[in-house]
Amino acid sequence: MAMDFFVLMLVIPLVSGALLTVVGERAWAPNLNIVASLGTFLASVGLTVEVVANGPRFAFGEQFFIDSLNVFFVALTAFVGLTTSIFSGPYMKNEREHGKLTEVRLRLYKSMYQLFMFTMLVALTTNNLGLLWVAMEAATLTTVLLVSLYRTPASLEAAWKYFILCGVGIAQALFGTILLYFAAERVLGASGNALLWTHLIDVKAQLEPNIMALSFIFLLVGYGTKVGLAPLHNWLPDAHAEGPTPVSAVLSGLLLNVALYAILRCKVLADGAIPGNFAGNLMMGFGLFTLLVAAFFLSRQKDVKRMFAYSSIEHMGLITFAFGMGGAVANFAGLLHMTMHSLTKSAIFFAVGHATQKTGTQLMADIRGLIKINPLIGWGLMLGTLSILGMPPFGVFASEFMILTHAMKHYPWATPILLLALGVAFAAIFGKVQPMVFGETEARRLPHAPAITPVFLHLGIVLMLGLYIPPYLTRWFHEAAKMLG
């Protein structure tokens, strides 16, 4: 049964993506996009239930492997993919009404959206680290087309920057993967199993430490480019600012998580092969530097989507630092924070997308009075902002509190840096969002009513997880945290 759910989960976005290239201009095409995303989500739920109940599963021989760690990311990815498809229906119709998109580009958007989901799910579930690299490269190509959808000079520049920087990063990750194979082939032989994670984990203590150290550096830098770790983050603010808002939502909510997941799988191998906390120290260093850089850049932003893009960089730095610390508590907190960030940031981009359409600008100085234009959009943006800034009782507060207290106990030198960065980020974002929501305005209404449900659905889950985490979800997080060491 688990195999059936897995095949459905991959086949639905692949087939629907191909179908939408043909029927993308039909009136029912947006509904097909939503129905396909719903089917993918339901298949992921079925797969999740099977894996949680009966343990890890292989598919297509040993090429795909689903366990407690990646099935969690699969369910989250499919859920955010579904809510984003619901949000993008009226949003893209409004873009069409405003003359920003043609029917051909709408067709391209819908087909590439489904193919992007396919590449993300392949990257999350493959057992082959070489196939993981291929899936990440394919995700880069699909998102380049999505970022450049408007075909304006700025969007084309952002897409090229994204393509070149992430292309260089992916090349580094490829070299790291080759080095990993070189180390594993000495132990496992040339049988074709030297890139299968389930085989590598069994022999990680026998892998050559020096080769593994070099491999992890390349893998961290390579996949870290897609995570948005400083100083490799330059593509991310441009891609968010110039691409359609649904693309910003899935970039922040999904792609960054999947790239960090790839690093985590490699970290487990590096920890087993290299004495000390080599991989963890590298991740803590990159994480803290990223957190500081993003926090101080936040105060200089004038474009609302660029500001929240830097917020995504800030949070990925914090998550990377948490996983770098390692241990049950820090890993649990890192997984929880990844979940909270994905749900909250995608909800924020949903609200921001409708706000920018209503006001006709992305400049924060020109966006005012959202609470008067549409109270639901205004409150959605304000509550999402309070959540992402770590205000209780939202779930981001719980995960940030766990990360901070763990750092205080085991790495007290890092605590002032964390507090400084989080304080600067709080002041920068709250100071800019407050007048956007409560200021004076004369903006007009939109021709198509916005989809507000995904905003409050995400924020409702984040609020619930801040107050109460169901026992089965706690066990799930614990099992995944143990797998990370």
Side-chain angles (χ1 to χ4, degrees):
M1 182 64 75
M3 180 68 170
D4 296 336
F5 285 129
F6 173 74
V7 172
L8 272 176
M9 187 184 70
L10 293 187
V11 166
I12 290 172
L14 181 61
V15 172
S16 60
L19 187 59
L20 283 165
T21 60
V22 180
V23 301
E25 74 279 4
R26 307 289 175 85
W28 45 267
N31 293 332
L32 175 59
N33 196 32
I34 295 172
V35 169
S37 299
L38 176 61
T40 303
F41 173 64
L42 293 176
S44 75
V45 170
L47 179 66
T48 299
V49 171
E50 285 287 327
V51 170
V52 170
N54 302 314
R57 289 286 184 272
F58 287 97
F60 297 105
E62 292 185 310
Q63 295 304 308
F64 290 86
F65 177 67
I66 304 96
D67 59 12
S68 296
L69 175 60
N70 60 4
V71 80
F72 155 74
F73 288 110
V74 164
L76 179 63
T77 297
F79 176 73
V80 175
L82 170 61
T83 54
T84 304
S85 69
I86 295 170
F87 157 75
S88 66
Y91 179 87
M92 299 308 273
K93 285 181 181 178
N94 284 320
E95 294 293 84
R96 179 77 178 93
E97 292 283 343
H98 292 157
K100 291 185 176 181
L101 291 175
T102 63
E103 292 293 347
V104 173
R105 291 181 200 164
L106 276 176
R107 182 193 303 185
L108 176 67
Y109 165 77
K110 293 161 194 162
S111 60
M112 287 300 107
Y113 181 84
Q114 289 297 324
L115 291 177
F116 170 74
M117 294 302 300
F118 170 75
T119 59
M120 290 293 91
L121 293 170
V122 169
L124 286 171
T125 54
T126 182
N127 190 31
N128 189 316
L129 296 182
L131 188 55
L132 169 62
W133 180 87
V134 172
M136 293 299 294
E137 175 69 2
T140 301
L141 297 176
T142 56
T143 43
V144 162
L145 294 173
L146 290 170
V147 168
S148 64
L149 195 67
Y150 291 136
R151 298 295 191 272
T152 62
S155 68
L156 291 172
E157 181 185 347
W160 271 109
K161 182 183 288 188
Y162 172 48
F163 178 71
I164 292 169
L165 290 179
C166 287
V168 171
I170 285 292
Q172 305 297 313
L174 175 61
F175 190 60
T177 304
I178 292 170
L179 287 172
L180 176 59
Y181 177 82
F182 180 62
E185 194 261 346
R186 293 183 171 189
V187 179
L188 294 171
S191 60
N193 297 327
L195 281 178
L196 297 181
W197 193 82
T198 47
H199 288 261
L200 289 166
I201 195 72
D202 291 334
V203 299
K204 61 182 181 180
Q206 303 173 47
L207 300 176
E208 169 60 39
N210 292 327
I211 297 176
M212 285 301 298
L214 192 58
S215 170
F216 185 76
I217 291 172
F218 277 102
L219 288 165
L220 178 61
V221 171
Y223 289 130
T225 303
K226 293 192 77 69
V227 175
L229 299 180
L232 315 164
H233 65 284
N234 292 330
W235 64 270
L236 200 151
D238 288 346
H240 280 64
E242 302 304 333
T245 301
V247 177
S248 301
V250 292
L251 283 176
S252 273
L254 302 182
L255 182 65
L256 306 188
N257 278 2
V258 175
L260 186 55
Y261 161 82
I263 293 174
L264 293 178
R265 285 290 197 194
C266 299
K267 178 181 182 290
V268 173
L269 301 176
D271 285 341
I274 307 168
N277 191 32
F278 174 82
N281 289 336
L282 272 178
M283 290 181 70
M284 282 194 291
F286 269 102
L288 282 178
F289 181 61
T290 301
L291 185 61
L292 278 173
V293 168
F296 283 98
F297 267 102
L298 276 166
S299 60
R300 301 179 55 189
Q301 301 312 307
K302 298 178 180 179
D303 183 298
V304 62
K305 289 173 70 176
R306 287 183 70 89
M307 181 181 74
F308 282 114
Y310 275 105
S311 172
S312 294
I313 296 170
E314 174 214 351
H315 284 276
M316 296 315 290
L318 183 62
I319 295 166
T320 302
F321 173 79
F323 286 122
M325 289 192 292
V329 175
N331 287 335
F332 184 98
L335 290 168
L336 181 61
H337 199 74
M338 287 178 84
T339 308
M340 298 301 98
H341 176 257
S342 289
L343 294 171
T344 305
K345 189 55 63 64
S346 50
I348 287 173
F349 275 115
F350 297 160
V352 165
H354 291 315
T356 55
Q357 280 189 333
K358 279 185 172 292
T359 55
T361 180
Q362 292 180 192
L363 296 177
M364 288 179 280
D366 297 329
I367 302 175
R368 291 291 183 266
L370 293 176
I371 203 80
K372 297 176 182 177
I373 301 172
N374 188 314
L376 289 177
I377 292 177
W379 281 115
L381 179 58
M382 180 51 69
L383 292 175
T385 299
L386 292 175
S387 173
I388 205 67
L389 291 176
M391 292 293 287
F394 290 101
V396 178
F397 168 78
S399 55
E400 285 188 352
F401 184 79
M402 291 175 69
I403 294 170
L404 278 169
T405 52
H406 191 77
M408 287 178 187
K409 181 177 181 181
H410 297 282
Y411 300 93
W413 55 268
T415 307
I417 302 174
L418 292 171
L419 291 174
L420 172 65
L422 292 174
V424 170
F426 184 99
I429 294 177
F430 188 77
K432 292 177 183 293
V433 170
Q434 192 272 340
M436 291 172 59
V437 175
F438 297 107
E440 296 294 330
T441 184
E442 296 179 357
R444 63 189 185 280
R445 298 184 65 84
L446 289 172
H448 298 280
I452 299 298
T453 303
V455 178
F456 289 96
L457 178 60
H458 283 211
L459 294 179
I461 296 172
V462 172
L463 178 60
M464 181 199 76
L465 294 178
L467 298 170
Y468 171 73
I469 302 178
Y472 73 89
L473 194 57
T474 304
R475 288 195 300 272
W476 195 0
F477 279 131
H478 275 302
E479 287 181 25
K482 286 179 184 176
M483 293 182 65
L484 295 173

